[in-house]
Amino acid sequence: MKKLQVYVVSDSVGETGEQVVKAVATQFRPNFDHTIIRKFPHITNKDHIQNIVEIAKAQDAIIVFTLVEESMRKNMIEVCNQKGVKSFDLLGPMIAMFESETNQKPLEEPGLVHKLDEDYFRKIEAVEFAVKYDDGRDPRGLLLADVVLIGVSRTSKTPLSQYLAHKRLKVANVPLVPEIDPPEELYLVDPKKCFGLVISPEKLNIIRRERLKALGLSDDANYARHARIEDELKHFYKVVEKIGCEIVDVTNKAVEETANVIIHKIEQGR
């Protein structure tokens, strides 16, 4: 069986070219017998291309390349033709087709797809973090979070946590109840990362009464009474003062508005 050597040359990490080569190679050699696939990532100048082609020539290898810059692709083809090395351009023909279809010039910036992938996985990680450390479930998350939200019940802590998570921020939130001491970890959090969410007693009364109705309960329960709300807010202010964190009034604010306020404060702090 003839030995097959393939050099995958890329201006990024080379994963795209490697996966395509493997997909094709398995159609001929499912177990990759007598097959060598070697990656040359982050190739960004023509001297590198010259050296790789010379090595490929000496080892009777073929070259498959994913280069986004047109000048680099042309140089690769030219050098391979000069040296008699077989090569295949994976991206060039498709870039040309897209350029014709869109009437736009390509950015020619290596690694953009991996930046998108990294951004996507950061968002997923942040969303999972927000779920795991929602509603004070695990105080350990407070010290790992980018943002910590505290507030009495029905101040939009959970939806706000999820919204900020989609902005790639790891958020933990803690409900404040007078009968329960906040976790010790809360007082170890950097005050710049912590935000107390407050709402007017009147608005909170309306929200809580509607919540009770939705649950099929009487709307005059202690949970929605003004006296109870005032007690909870007094406790809230005591905790906030001890932490020394920023207070954000969420009365009549959409989650997006509150999130923008917090993001702005964080960026200012940086």
Side-chain angles (χ1 to χ4, degrees):
M1 183 180 287
K2 181 183 176 181
K3 184 179 181 181
L4 175 64
Q5 287 201 84
V6 184
Y7 287 0
V8 178
V9 181
S10 174
D11 47 22
S12 184
V13 295
E15 288 182 4
T16 301
E18 183 182 35
Q19 291 304 312
V20 172
V21 168
K22 285 182 176 179
V24 174
T26 52
Q27 295 299 312
F28 300 89
R29 297 170 183 185
N31 298 317
F32 292 104
D33 297 329
H34 301 281
T35 301
I36 297 173
I37 300 172
R38 184 179 176 189
K39 278 199 302 184
F40 292 84
H42 306 297
I43 302 305
T44 56
N45 66 63
K46 294 176 181 179
D47 288 339
H48 290 160
I49 288 176
Q50 184 75 31
N51 293 336
I52 292 167
V53 173
E54 288 177 359
I55 296 170
K57 174 69 175 178
Q59 297 190 358
D60 194 27
I62 62 177
I63 292 177
V64 174
F65 59 95
T66 55
L67 301 169
V68 296
E69 288 188 40
E70 184 179 6
S71 62
M72 292 287 282
R73 294 197 302 273
K74 286 182 176 178
N75 182 253
M76 174 65 84
I77 293 169
E78 182 183 339
V79 176
C80 284
N81 288 339
Q82 288 174 355
K83 300 292 183 180
V85 173
K86 294 176 182 177
S87 66
F88 189 84
D89 179 3
L90 272 179
L91 298 185
M94 191 175 292
I95 288 175
M97 182 174 69
F98 276 41
E99 184 176 351
S100 173
E101 189 69 20
T102 63
N103 292 318
Q104 292 177 265
K105 288 290 183 182
L107 296 174
E108 296 193 347
E109 184 179 337
L112 285 179
V113 68
H114 297 292
K115 289 180 183 178
L116 287 173
D117 288 344
E118 289 170 9
D119 185 61
Y120 171 77
F121 285 116
R122 278 200 302 271
K123 181 165 74 172
I124 294 299
E125 184 181 7
V127 170
E128 290 176 345
F129 186 97
V131 172
K132 183 176 181 180
Y133 298 111
D134 182 46
D135 208 32
R137 289 175 187 167
D138 187 346
R140 292 174 297 181
L142 298 174
L143 301 178
L144 303 173
D146 299 317
V147 178
V148 174
L149 305 176
I150 60 174
V152 301
S153 175
R154 313 314 295 176
T155 48
S156 301
K157 295 185 296 300
T158 295
L160 182 56
S161 295
Q162 285 295 322
Y163 186 90
L164 290 170
H166 280 82
K167 300 295 183 181
R168 291 77 175 163
L169 292 169
K170 294 180 179 178
V171 187
N173 72 73
V174 179
L176 297 182
V177 183
E179 293 79 12
I180 302 174
D181 290 332
E184 293 180 7
E185 289 86 349
L186 183 59
Y187 298 111
L188 301 176
V189 172
D190 183 348
K192 292 179 181 179
K193 293 183 179 181
C194 187
F195 296 87
L197 307 181
V198 73
I199 189 170
S200 73
E202 296 76 19
K203 182 69 174 179
L204 188 53
N205 170 258
I206 294 170
I207 292 172
R208 289 189 175 183
R209 286 173 62 189
E210 291 301 319
R211 177 60 176 167
L212 289 169
K213 288 178 184 178
L215 295 172
L217 301 172
S218 172
D219 66 355
D220 66 348
N222 187 49
Y223 175 69
R225 288 177 183 169
H226 282 285
R228 172 63 186 183
I229 289 172
E230 292 291 351
D231 286 344
E232 290 187 26
L233 290 175
K234 285 179 184 177
H235 175 66
F236 164 82
Y237 282 113
K238 285 180 182 178
V239 174
V240 165
E241 185 178 0
K242 187 174 180 180
I243 297 170
C245 66
E246 189 98 22
I247 294 176
V248 179
D249 191 336
V250 301
T251 307
N252 298 323
K253 275 194 178 74
V255 168
E256 295 85 352
E257 292 179 87
T258 306
N260 288 336
V261 170
I262 290 173
I263 291 169
H264 180 68
K265 295 287 185 183
I266 291 170
E267 289 175 349
Q268 280 185 324
R270 289 173 180 170

